Amino acid sequence: DVKVTQSSRYLVKRTGEKVFLECVQDMDHENMFWYRQDPGLGLRLIYFSYDVKMKEKGDIPEGYSVSREKKERFSLILESASTNQTSMYLCASSLLGFVGKLFFGSGTQLSVL
Amino acid sequence: QQQVKQSPQSLIVQKGGISIINCAYENTAFDYFPWYQQFPGKGPALLIAIRPDVSEKKEGRFTISFNKSAKQFSLHIMDSQPGDSATYFCAASTNSGGYQKVTFGIGTKLQVIP
């Protein structure tokens, strides 16, 4: 069964902390994505990657960075967490050429205090 | 700028009724229109999808109606059940800068009451 695993379900951090959100997929997918989900705003794309060591900015990349050292793993980094980054973060993956068919993890609810 | 507009934001339907969620888009380059279903505590999952060369697609109780000229598409859930209670997202994808990207609507929280 297809699986995208996010390392933490809930995370509480302090303002200014460096935060790492980890995502692993076991489907050998080329594409990986990070979205944030906020009520009334839907899903907004932060960063995506089409290959190892490759990254592209999404619609809201400010305050975030990413790392993809291995095909199966895609990390989202908040260099200095701020309260407006409190959100649900969703990782997704897809096959190359099938971007519309996304497989999502269960999400990480991040609270920045 | 919201490229995919979704309505309503919330919907309450009686069991056995029809749930209808509407979406509209501006970018005529969109070439794939999926709907995702999200249950509480879970990530969204692909429910059904359509390409713009087809006006309707049906899978069980779920139907997408697509109107290319009006740039609108909608999800119909026939014989709605309490188990359908979830948040539904419409989406559209296209090539942008050489990469395919998916743009989501804001979501509709559906509650089906017995």
PDB file of all heavy atoms in Angstrom, chain A residues 9 35 37 40 42-43 48 50 54 56 59 90 99-102 104-106, chain B residues 9 32 34 36 38 41-44 46 89 93 99-102 104-106:
ATOM      1  N   ARG A   9       3.121  14.003  14.379  1.00  0.00           N
ATOM      2  CA  ARG A   9       1.719  14.371  14.197  1.00  0.00           C
ATOM      3  C   ARG A   9       1.450  15.750  14.790  1.00  0.00           C
ATOM      4  O   ARG A   9       0.702  16.534  14.227  1.00  0.00           O
ATOM      5  CB  ARG A   9       0.815  13.333  14.871  1.00  0.00           C
ATOM      6  CG  ARG A   9      -0.665  13.583  14.665  1.00  0.00           C
ATOM      7  CD  ARG A   9      -1.073  13.300  13.248  1.00  0.00           C
ATOM      8  NE  ARG A   9      -2.486  13.611  13.031  1.00  0.00           N
ATOM      9  CZ  ARG A   9      -2.915  14.778  12.554  1.00  0.00           C
ATOM     10  NH1 ARG A   9      -2.049  15.732  12.259  1.00  0.00           N
ATOM     11  NH2 ARG A   9      -4.199  14.982  12.381  1.00  0.00           N
ATOM     12  N   TYR A  35       2.981  21.323   1.487  1.00  0.00           N
ATOM     13  CA  TYR A  35       1.865  22.258   1.523  1.00  0.00           C
ATOM     14  C   TYR A  35       1.610  22.659   2.976  1.00  0.00           C
ATOM     15  O   TYR A  35       1.905  21.911   3.906  1.00  0.00           O
ATOM     16  CB  TYR A  35       0.577  21.607   1.005  1.00  0.00           C
ATOM     17  CG  TYR A  35       0.506  21.407  -0.482  1.00  0.00           C
ATOM     18  CD1 TYR A  35       1.020  20.250  -1.076  1.00  0.00           C
ATOM     19  CD2 TYR A  35      -0.108  22.351  -1.302  1.00  0.00           C
ATOM     20  CE1 TYR A  35       0.939  20.056  -2.452  1.00  0.00           C
ATOM     21  CE2 TYR A  35      -0.198  22.163  -2.673  1.00  0.00           C
ATOM     22  CZ  TYR A  35       0.329  21.012  -3.243  1.00  0.00           C
ATOM     23  OH  TYR A  35       0.243  20.820  -4.596  1.00  0.00           O
ATOM     24  N   GLN A  37      -1.803  23.916   5.280  1.00  0.00           N
ATOM     25  CA  GLN A  37      -3.262  23.976   5.230  1.00  0.00           C
ATOM     26  C   GLN A  37      -3.760  24.872   6.344  1.00  0.00           C
ATOM     27  O   GLN A  37      -3.479  24.623   7.517  1.00  0.00           O
ATOM     28  CB  GLN A  37      -3.869  22.571   5.386  1.00  0.00           C
ATOM     29  CG  GLN A  37      -5.383  22.564   5.351  1.00  0.00           C
ATOM     30  CD  GLN A  37      -5.950  21.164   5.421  1.00  0.00           C
ATOM     31  OE1 GLN A  37      -5.246  20.172   5.600  1.00  0.00           O
ATOM     32  NE2 GLN A  37      -7.259  21.061   5.253  1.00  0.00           N
ATOM     33  N   GLY A  40      -9.958  28.295   5.594  1.00  0.00           N
ATOM     34  CA  GLY A  40     -10.341  29.400   4.729  1.00  0.00           C
ATOM     35  C   GLY A  40      -9.340  29.727   3.644  1.00  0.00           C
ATOM     36  O   GLY A  40      -9.621  30.562   2.774  1.00  0.00           O
ATOM     37  N   GLY A  42      -7.325  26.960   2.230  1.00  0.00           N
ATOM     38  CA  GLY A  42      -7.062  25.733   1.481  1.00  0.00           C
ATOM     39  C   GLY A  42      -5.636  25.243   1.653  1.00  0.00           C
ATOM     40  O   GLY A  42      -4.999  25.458   2.681  1.00  0.00           O
ATOM     41  N   LEU A  43      -5.141  24.608   0.612  1.00  0.00           N
ATOM     42  CA  LEU A  43      -3.786  24.070   0.609  1.00  0.00           C
ATOM     43  C   LEU A  43      -2.910  24.972  -0.237  1.00  0.00           C
ATOM     44  O   LEU A  43      -3.215  25.223  -1.401  1.00  0.00           O
ATOM     45  CB  LEU A  43      -3.786  22.647   0.016  1.00  0.00           C
ATOM     46  CG  LEU A  43      -4.660  21.627   0.729  1.00  0.00           C
ATOM     47  CD1 LEU A  43      -4.782  20.359  -0.096  1.00  0.00           C
ATOM     48  CD2 LEU A  43      -4.067  21.312   2.082  1.00  0.00           C
ATOM     49  N   PHE A  48       8.556  22.427  -3.753  1.00  0.00           N
ATOM     50  CA  PHE A  48       8.464  21.105  -4.329  1.00  0.00           C
ATOM     51  C   PHE A  48       9.806  20.694  -4.916  1.00  0.00           C
ATOM     52  O   PHE A  48      10.713  21.512  -5.098  1.00  0.00           O
ATOM     53  CB  PHE A  48       7.334  21.015  -5.363  1.00  0.00           C
ATOM     54  CG  PHE A  48       7.445  21.971  -6.513  1.00  0.00           C
ATOM     55  CD1 PHE A  48       7.920  21.551  -7.747  1.00  0.00           C
ATOM     56  CD2 PHE A  48       7.028  23.291  -6.387  1.00  0.00           C
ATOM     57  CE1 PHE A  48       7.987  22.425  -8.823  1.00  0.00           C
ATOM     58  CE2 PHE A  48       7.092  24.169  -7.458  1.00  0.00           C
ATOM     59  CZ  PHE A  48       7.574  23.736  -8.675  1.00  0.00           C
ATOM     60  N   TYR A  50      11.502  17.805  -7.884  1.00  0.00           N
ATOM     61  CA  TYR A  50      11.291  16.807  -8.926  1.00  0.00           C
ATOM     62  C   TYR A  50      12.431  15.807  -9.010  1.00  0.00           C
ATOM     63  O   TYR A  50      12.400  14.892  -9.817  1.00  0.00           O
ATOM     64  CB  TYR A  50      11.092  17.495 -10.287  1.00  0.00           C
ATOM     65  CG  TYR A  50       9.737  18.131 -10.398  1.00  0.00           C
ATOM     66  CD1 TYR A  50       9.491  19.398  -9.882  1.00  0.00           C
ATOM     67  CD2 TYR A  50       8.684  17.462 -10.987  1.00  0.00           C
ATOM     68  CE1 TYR A  50       8.230  19.968  -9.957  1.00  0.00           C
ATOM     69  CE2 TYR A  50       7.423  18.024 -11.077  1.00  0.00           C
ATOM     70  CZ  TYR A  50       7.208  19.276 -10.558  1.00  0.00           C
ATOM     71  OH  TYR A  50       5.960  19.837 -10.632  1.00  0.00           O
ATOM     72  N   MET A  54      17.221  18.686  -5.916  1.00  0.00           N
ATOM     73  CA  MET A  54      16.576  19.710  -6.718  1.00  0.00           C
ATOM     74  C   MET A  54      15.388  20.264  -5.938  1.00  0.00           C
ATOM     75  O   MET A  54      14.680  19.507  -5.267  1.00  0.00           O
ATOM     76  CB  MET A  54      16.148  19.099  -8.036  1.00  0.00           C
ATOM     77  CG  MET A  54      15.346  20.005  -8.929  1.00  0.00           C
ATOM     78  SD  MET A  54      13.629  19.981  -8.496  1.00  0.00           S
ATOM     79  CE  MET A  54      12.962  20.871  -9.879  1.00  0.00           C
ATOM     80  N   GLU A  56      12.263  23.617  -5.980  1.00  0.00           N
ATOM     81  CA  GLU A  56      11.635  24.759  -6.641  1.00  0.00           C
ATOM     82  C   GLU A  56      10.703  25.432  -5.650  1.00  0.00           C
ATOM     83  O   GLU A  56      10.025  24.759  -4.871  1.00  0.00           O
ATOM     84  CB  GLU A  56      10.825  24.326  -7.859  1.00  0.00           C
ATOM     85  CG  GLU A  56      11.655  23.841  -9.030  1.00  0.00           C
ATOM     86  CD  GLU A  56      12.434  24.954  -9.703  1.00  0.00           C
ATOM     87  OE1 GLU A  56      11.983  26.122  -9.634  1.00  0.00           O
ATOM     88  OE2 GLU A  56      13.498  24.670 -10.285  1.00  0.00           O
ATOM     89  N   ASP A  59       4.219  28.679  -3.974  1.00  0.00           N
ATOM     90  CA  ASP A  59       3.536  29.969  -3.915  1.00  0.00           C
ATOM     91  C   ASP A  59       3.870  30.776  -2.664  1.00  0.00           C
ATOM     92  O   ASP A  59       3.764  31.997  -2.664  1.00  0.00           O
ATOM     93  CB  ASP A  59       2.023  29.742  -3.985  1.00  0.00           C
ATOM     94  CG  ASP A  59       1.630  29.050  -5.282  1.00  0.00           C
ATOM     95  OD1 ASP A  59       2.176  29.436  -6.335  1.00  0.00           O
ATOM     96  OD2 ASP A  59       0.800  28.121  -5.250  1.00  0.00           O
ATOM     97  N   LEU A  90       1.463  19.558   5.307  1.00  0.00           N
ATOM     98  CA  LEU A  90       1.195  18.303   4.603  1.00  0.00           C
ATOM     99  C   LEU A  90       2.273  18.045   3.571  1.00  0.00           C
ATOM    100  O   LEU A  90       2.589  18.904   2.749  1.00  0.00           O
ATOM    101  CB  LEU A  90      -0.163  18.367   3.907  1.00  0.00           C
ATOM    102  CG  LEU A  90      -1.384  18.355   4.826  1.00  0.00           C
ATOM    103  CD1 LEU A  90      -2.603  18.877   4.087  1.00  0.00           C
ATOM    104  CD2 LEU A  90      -1.650  16.951   5.339  1.00  0.00           C
ATOM    105  N   VAL A  99       1.442  14.823 -11.652  1.00  0.00           N
ATOM    106  CA  VAL A  99       1.457  15.715 -10.501  1.00  0.00           C
ATOM    107  C   VAL A  99       0.070  15.873  -9.906  1.00  0.00           C
ATOM    108  O   VAL A  99      -0.085  16.051  -8.710  1.00  0.00           O
ATOM    109  CB  VAL A  99       2.040  17.074 -10.901  1.00  0.00           C
ATOM    110  CG1 VAL A  99       1.833  18.091  -9.798  1.00  0.00           C
ATOM    111  CG2 VAL A  99       3.515  16.937 -11.204  1.00  0.00           C
ATOM    112  N   GLY A 100      -0.982  15.804 -10.727  1.00  0.00           N
ATOM    113  CA  GLY A 100      -2.321  15.968 -10.185  1.00  0.00           C
ATOM    114  C   GLY A 100      -2.741  14.836  -9.282  1.00  0.00           C
ATOM    115  O   GLY A 100      -3.676  14.975  -8.491  1.00  0.00           O
ATOM    116  N   LYS A 101      -2.063  13.693  -9.366  1.00  0.00           N
ATOM    117  CA  LYS A 101      -2.416  12.531  -8.544  1.00  0.00           C
ATOM    118  C   LYS A 101      -1.451  12.478  -7.371  1.00  0.00           C
ATOM    119  O   LYS A 101      -0.464  11.743  -7.377  1.00  0.00           O
ATOM    120  CB  LYS A 101      -2.331  11.256  -9.381  1.00  0.00           C
ATOM    121  CG  LYS A 101      -3.282  11.253 -10.564  1.00  0.00           C
ATOM    122  CD  LYS A 101      -3.167   9.979 -11.379  1.00  0.00           C
ATOM    123  CE  LYS A 101      -4.119  10.031 -12.576  1.00  0.00           C
ATOM    124  NZ  LYS A 101      -4.015   8.825 -13.432  1.00  0.00           N
ATOM    125  N   LEU A 102      -1.793  13.237  -6.364  1.00  0.00           N
ATOM    126  CA  LEU A 102      -0.931  13.373  -5.202  1.00  0.00           C
ATOM    127  C   LEU A 102      -1.301  12.368  -4.120  1.00  0.00           C
ATOM    128  O   LEU A 102      -2.480  12.079  -3.901  1.00  0.00           O
ATOM    129  CB  LEU A 102      -1.059  14.786  -4.618  1.00  0.00           C
ATOM    130  CG  LEU A 102      -0.572  15.936  -5.505  1.00  0.00           C
ATOM    131  CD1 LEU A 102      -1.012  17.272  -4.924  1.00  0.00           C
ATOM    132  CD2 LEU A 102       0.932  15.899  -5.663  1.00  0.00           C
ATOM    133  N   PHE A 104      -0.840  12.028  -0.098  1.00  0.00           N
ATOM    134  CA  PHE A 104      -0.513  12.869   1.051  1.00  0.00           C
ATOM    135  C   PHE A 104      -0.196  12.055   2.292  1.00  0.00           C
ATOM    136  O   PHE A 104      -0.744  10.958   2.505  1.00  0.00           O
ATOM    137  CB  PHE A 104      -1.705  13.785   1.396  1.00  0.00           C
ATOM    138  CG  PHE A 104      -1.851  14.972   0.491  1.00  0.00           C
ATOM    139  CD1 PHE A 104      -2.613  14.901  -0.661  1.00  0.00           C
ATOM    140  CD2 PHE A 104      -1.227  16.176   0.802  1.00  0.00           C
ATOM    141  CE1 PHE A 104      -2.758  15.993  -1.498  1.00  0.00           C
ATOM    142  CE2 PHE A 104      -1.368  17.281  -0.020  1.00  0.00           C
ATOM    143  CZ  PHE A 104      -2.131  17.195  -1.172  1.00  0.00           C
ATOM    144  N   GLY A 105       0.666  12.620   3.136  1.00  0.00           N
ATOM    145  CA  GLY A 105       0.827  12.118   4.496  1.00  0.00           C
ATOM    146  C   GLY A 105      -0.313  12.609   5.364  1.00  0.00           C
ATOM    147  O   GLY A 105      -1.191  13.350   4.896  1.00  0.00           O
ATOM    148  N   SER A 106      -0.292  12.233   6.625  1.00  0.00           N
ATOM    149  CA  SER A 106      -1.374  12.592   7.549  1.00  0.00           C
ATOM    150  C   SER A 106      -1.219  13.986   8.132  1.00  0.00           C
ATOM    151  O   SER A 106      -2.129  14.481   8.806  1.00  0.00           O
ATOM    152  CB  SER A 106      -1.472  11.575   8.686  1.00  0.00           C
ATOM    153  OG  SER A 106      -1.884  10.320   8.180  1.00  0.00           O
TER     154      SER A 106
ATOM    155  N   GLN B   9     -18.224  27.099   1.455  1.00  0.00           N
ATOM    156  CA  GLN B   9     -17.171  26.695   2.396  1.00  0.00           C
ATOM    157  C   GLN B   9     -17.662  25.621   3.343  1.00  0.00           C
ATOM    158  O   GLN B   9     -16.868  24.834   3.854  1.00  0.00           O
ATOM    159  CB  GLN B   9     -16.674  27.901   3.198  1.00  0.00           C
ATOM    160  CG  GLN B   9     -15.803  28.840   2.406  1.00  0.00           C
ATOM    161  CD  GLN B   9     -14.996  29.773   3.299  1.00  0.00           C
ATOM    162  OE1 GLN B   9     -14.401  29.361   4.291  1.00  0.00           O
ATOM    163  NE2 GLN B   9     -15.003  31.057   2.959  1.00  0.00           N
ATOM    164  N   TYR B  32      -6.053  19.240 -15.891  1.00  0.00           N
ATOM    165  CA  TYR B  32      -6.428  18.095 -15.081  1.00  0.00           C
ATOM    166  C   TYR B  32      -7.105  18.637 -13.836  1.00  0.00           C
ATOM    167  O   TYR B  32      -6.596  19.559 -13.199  1.00  0.00           O
ATOM    168  CB  TYR B  32      -5.176  17.280 -14.723  1.00  0.00           C
ATOM    169  CG  TYR B  32      -5.427  15.999 -13.966  1.00  0.00           C
ATOM    170  CD1 TYR B  32      -5.969  14.887 -14.600  1.00  0.00           C
ATOM    171  CD2 TYR B  32      -5.095  15.883 -12.624  1.00  0.00           C
ATOM    172  CE1 TYR B  32      -6.180  13.700 -13.918  1.00  0.00           C
ATOM    173  CE2 TYR B  32      -5.298  14.704 -11.937  1.00  0.00           C
ATOM    174  CZ  TYR B  32      -5.843  13.612 -12.581  1.00  0.00           C
ATOM    175  OH  TYR B  32      -6.046  12.441 -11.896  1.00  0.00           O
ATOM    176  N   PRO B  34      -8.674  17.369 -10.391  1.00  0.00           N
ATOM    177  CA  PRO B  34      -8.969  16.344  -9.382  1.00  0.00           C
ATOM    178  C   PRO B  34      -9.786  16.894  -8.220  1.00  0.00           C
ATOM    179  O   PRO B  34      -9.775  18.092  -7.944  1.00  0.00           O
ATOM    180  CB  PRO B  34      -7.569  15.927  -8.901  1.00  0.00           C
ATOM    181  CG  PRO B  34      -6.736  17.162  -9.070  1.00  0.00           C
ATOM    182  CD  PRO B  34      -7.336  17.947 -10.205  1.00  0.00           C
ATOM    183  N   TYR B  36     -10.235  16.068  -4.066  1.00  0.00           N
ATOM    184  CA  TYR B  36      -9.650  15.349  -2.946  1.00  0.00           C
ATOM    185  C   TYR B  36     -10.627  15.356  -1.770  1.00  0.00           C
ATOM    186  O   TYR B  36     -11.357  16.323  -1.550  1.00  0.00           O
ATOM    187  CB  TYR B  36      -8.322  15.999  -2.528  1.00  0.00           C
ATOM    188  CG  TYR B  36      -7.188  15.687  -3.464  1.00  0.00           C
ATOM    189  CD1 TYR B  36      -7.025  16.387  -4.660  1.00  0.00           C
ATOM    190  CD2 TYR B  36      -6.282  14.670  -3.176  1.00  0.00           C
ATOM    191  CE1 TYR B  36      -5.994  16.085  -5.536  1.00  0.00           C
ATOM    192  CE2 TYR B  36      -5.242  14.370  -4.032  1.00  0.00           C
ATOM    193  CZ  TYR B  36      -5.099  15.082  -5.209  1.00  0.00           C
ATOM    194  OH  TYR B  36      -4.079  14.774  -6.062  1.00  0.00           O
ATOM    195  N   GLN B  38     -10.849  14.748   2.424  1.00  0.00           N
ATOM    196  CA  GLN B  38     -10.018  14.712   3.621  1.00  0.00           C
ATOM    197  C   GLN B  38     -10.872  14.473   4.855  1.00  0.00           C
ATOM    198  O   GLN B  38     -11.761  15.281   5.155  1.00  0.00           O
ATOM    199  CB  GLN B  38      -9.240  16.021   3.788  1.00  0.00           C
ATOM    200  CG  GLN B  38      -8.295  16.020   4.981  1.00  0.00           C
ATOM    201  CD  GLN B  38      -7.568  17.344   5.145  1.00  0.00           C
ATOM    202  OE1 GLN B  38      -8.082  18.400   4.796  1.00  0.00           O
ATOM    203  NE2 GLN B  38      -6.349  17.290   5.668  1.00  0.00           N
ATOM    204  N   GLY B  41      -7.970  14.433  10.814  1.00  0.00           N
ATOM    205  CA  GLY B  41      -6.771  13.740  11.242  1.00  0.00           C
ATOM    206  C   GLY B  41      -6.035  13.005  10.137  1.00  0.00           C
ATOM    207  O   GLY B  41      -5.038  12.317  10.405  1.00  0.00           O
ATOM    208  N   LYS B  42      -6.511  13.156   8.911  1.00  0.00           N
ATOM    209  CA  LYS B  42      -5.882  12.474   7.774  1.00  0.00           C
ATOM    210  C   LYS B  42      -5.490  13.492   6.719  1.00  0.00           C
ATOM    211  O   LYS B  42      -6.001  14.612   6.684  1.00  0.00           O
ATOM    212  CB  LYS B  42      -6.857  11.469   7.147  1.00  0.00           C
ATOM    213  CG  LYS B  42      -7.339  10.395   8.087  1.00  0.00           C
ATOM    214  CD  LYS B  42      -6.242   9.405   8.402  1.00  0.00           C
ATOM    215  CE  LYS B  42      -6.764   8.247   9.228  1.00  0.00           C
ATOM    216  NZ  LYS B  42      -5.682   7.306   9.613  1.00  0.00           N
ATOM    217  N   GLY B  43      -4.561  13.086   5.843  1.00  0.00           N
ATOM    218  CA  GLY B  43      -4.263  13.927   4.702  1.00  0.00           C
ATOM    219  C   GLY B  43      -5.312  13.742   3.612  1.00  0.00           C
ATOM    220  O   GLY B  43      -6.040  12.749   3.609  1.00  0.00           O
ATOM    221  N   PRO B  44      -5.404  14.695   2.683  1.00  0.00           N
ATOM    222  CA  PRO B  44      -6.354  14.544   1.573  1.00  0.00           C
ATOM    223  C   PRO B  44      -6.011  13.313   0.736  1.00  0.00           C
ATOM    224  O   PRO B  44      -4.847  12.929   0.623  1.00  0.00           O
ATOM    225  CB  PRO B  44      -6.136  15.827   0.754  1.00  0.00           C
ATOM    226  CG  PRO B  44      -5.492  16.783   1.695  1.00  0.00           C
ATOM    227  CD  PRO B  44      -4.659  15.949   2.624  1.00  0.00           C
ATOM    228  N   LEU B  46      -7.009  11.429  -3.126  1.00  0.00           N
ATOM    229  CA  LEU B  46      -7.657  11.616  -4.432  1.00  0.00           C
ATOM    230  C   LEU B  46      -8.959  10.832  -4.487  1.00  0.00           C
ATOM    231  O   LEU B  46      -8.997   9.640  -4.214  1.00  0.00           O
ATOM    232  CB  LEU B  46      -6.718  11.162  -5.545  1.00  0.00           C
ATOM    233  CG  LEU B  46      -7.234  11.310  -6.970  1.00  0.00           C
ATOM    234  CD1 LEU B  46      -7.478  12.777  -7.310  1.00  0.00           C
ATOM    235  CD2 LEU B  46      -6.254  10.694  -7.956  1.00  0.00           C
ATOM    236  N   PHE B  89     -11.789  19.145  -1.449  1.00  0.00           N
ATOM    237  CA  PHE B  89     -11.024  20.167  -2.153  1.00  0.00           C
ATOM    238  C   PHE B  89     -11.099  19.904  -3.652  1.00  0.00           C
ATOM    239  O   PHE B  89     -10.820  18.784  -4.102  1.00  0.00           O
ATOM    240  CB  PHE B  89      -9.547  20.117  -1.752  1.00  0.00           C
ATOM    241  CG  PHE B  89      -9.279  20.521  -0.330  1.00  0.00           C
ATOM    242  CD1 PHE B  89      -9.174  19.550   0.660  1.00  0.00           C
ATOM    243  CD2 PHE B  89      -9.106  21.845   0.019  1.00  0.00           C
ATOM    244  CE1 PHE B  89      -8.916  19.903   1.982  1.00  0.00           C
ATOM    245  CE2 PHE B  89      -8.857  22.218   1.335  1.00  0.00           C
ATOM    246  CZ  PHE B  89      -8.756  21.242   2.310  1.00  0.00           C
ATOM    247  N   SER B  93      -4.546  21.385 -12.253  1.00  0.00           N
ATOM    248  CA  SER B  93      -3.105  21.332 -12.466  1.00  0.00           C
ATOM    249  C   SER B  93      -2.755  21.752 -13.890  1.00  0.00           C
ATOM    250  O   SER B  93      -3.550  21.592 -14.826  1.00  0.00           O
ATOM    251  CB  SER B  93      -2.549  19.939 -12.169  1.00  0.00           C
ATOM    252  OG  SER B  93      -2.906  19.024 -13.171  1.00  0.00           O
ATOM    253  N   TYR B  99       7.248  23.011 -15.052  1.00  0.00           N
ATOM    254  CA  TYR B  99       6.870  22.026 -14.051  1.00  0.00           C
ATOM    255  C   TYR B  99       5.354  22.006 -13.905  1.00  0.00           C
ATOM    256  O   TYR B  99       4.695  23.028 -14.042  1.00  0.00           O
ATOM    257  CB  TYR B  99       7.502  22.372 -12.702  1.00  0.00           C
ATOM    258  CG  TYR B  99       8.997  22.470 -12.744  1.00  0.00           C
ATOM    259  CD1 TYR B  99       9.633  23.704 -12.712  1.00  0.00           C
ATOM    260  CD2 TYR B  99       9.772  21.327 -12.830  1.00  0.00           C
ATOM    261  CE1 TYR B  99      10.998  23.792 -12.764  1.00  0.00           C
ATOM    262  CE2 TYR B  99      11.154  21.413 -12.876  1.00  0.00           C
ATOM    263  CZ  TYR B  99      11.763  22.642 -12.846  1.00  0.00           C
ATOM    264  OH  TYR B  99      13.127  22.727 -12.892  1.00  0.00           O
ATOM    265  N   GLN B 100       4.838  20.819 -13.593  1.00  0.00           N
ATOM    266  CA  GLN B 100       3.406  20.736 -13.319  1.00  0.00           C
ATOM    267  C   GLN B 100       3.136  21.121 -11.877  1.00  0.00           C
ATOM    268  O   GLN B 100       3.847  20.698 -10.967  1.00  0.00           O
ATOM    269  CB  GLN B 100       2.892  19.320 -13.587  1.00  0.00           C
ATOM    270  CG  GLN B 100       2.415  19.108 -15.000  1.00  0.00           C
ATOM    271  CD  GLN B 100       1.291  18.098 -15.055  1.00  0.00           C
ATOM    272  OE1 GLN B 100       1.336  17.088 -14.397  1.00  0.00           O
ATOM    273  NE2 GLN B 100       0.279  18.369 -15.849  1.00  0.00           N
ATOM    274  N   LYS B 101       2.123  21.940 -11.677  1.00  0.00           N
ATOM    275  CA  LYS B 101       1.754  22.362 -10.331  1.00  0.00           C
ATOM    276  C   LYS B 101       0.264  22.159 -10.140  1.00  0.00           C
ATOM    277  O   LYS B 101      -0.515  22.223 -11.088  1.00  0.00           O
ATOM    278  CB  LYS B 101       2.090  23.848 -10.131  1.00  0.00           C
ATOM    279  CG  LYS B 101       3.571  24.142 -10.052  1.00  0.00           C
ATOM    280  CD  LYS B 101       3.819  25.625 -10.005  1.00  0.00           C
ATOM    281  CE  LYS B 101       3.251  26.294  -8.775  1.00  0.00           C
ATOM    282  NZ  LYS B 101       3.605  27.713  -8.698  1.00  0.00           N
ATOM    283  N   VAL B 102      -0.100  21.917  -8.898  1.00  0.00           N
ATOM    284  CA  VAL B 102      -1.505  21.729  -8.542  1.00  0.00           C
ATOM    285  C   VAL B 102      -1.946  22.912  -7.691  1.00  0.00           C
ATOM    286  O   VAL B 102      -1.272  23.277  -6.729  1.00  0.00           O
ATOM    287  CB  VAL B 102      -1.720  20.424  -7.757  1.00  0.00           C
ATOM    288  CG1 VAL B 102      -3.193  20.243  -7.433  1.00  0.00           C
ATOM    289  CG2 VAL B 102      -1.200  19.235  -8.538  1.00  0.00           C
ATOM    290  N   PHE B 104      -5.125  24.365  -5.402  1.00  0.00           N
ATOM    291  CA  PHE B 104      -6.305  23.879  -4.690  1.00  0.00           C
ATOM    292  C   PHE B 104      -7.299  25.003  -4.398  1.00  0.00           C
ATOM    293  O   PHE B 104      -6.908  26.156  -4.213  1.00  0.00           O
ATOM    294  CB  PHE B 104      -5.895  23.248  -3.356  1.00  0.00           C
ATOM    295  CG  PHE B 104      -5.227  21.911  -3.491  1.00  0.00           C
ATOM    296  CD1 PHE B 104      -3.867  21.812  -3.707  1.00  0.00           C
ATOM    297  CD2 PHE B 104      -5.978  20.746  -3.396  1.00  0.00           C
ATOM    298  CE1 PHE B 104      -3.245  20.578  -3.835  1.00  0.00           C
ATOM    299  CE2 PHE B 104      -5.375  19.508  -3.517  1.00  0.00           C
ATOM    300  CZ  PHE B 104      -4.003  19.424  -3.738  1.00  0.00           C
ATOM    301  N   GLY B 105      -8.577  24.641  -4.329  1.00  0.00           N
ATOM    302  CA  GLY B 105      -9.592  25.526  -3.789  1.00  0.00           C
ATOM    303  C   GLY B 105      -9.471  25.556  -2.271  1.00  0.00           C
ATOM    304  O   GLY B 105      -8.664  24.844  -1.678  1.00  0.00           O
ATOM    305  N   ILE B 106     -10.319  26.388  -1.638  1.00  0.00           N
ATOM    306  CA  ILE B 106     -10.202  26.574  -0.190  1.00  0.00           C
ATOM    307  C   ILE B 106     -10.845  25.452   0.612  1.00  0.00           C
ATOM    308  O   ILE B 106     -10.644  25.366   1.818  1.00  0.00           O
ATOM    309  CB  ILE B 106     -10.804  27.924   0.248  1.00  0.00           C
ATOM    310  CG1 ILE B 106     -12.305  27.976  -0.066  1.00  0.00           C
ATOM    311  CG2 ILE B 106     -10.054  29.083  -0.379  1.00  0.00           C
ATOM    312  CD1 ILE B 106     -12.992  29.189   0.538  1.00  0.00           C
TER     313      ILE B 106
END
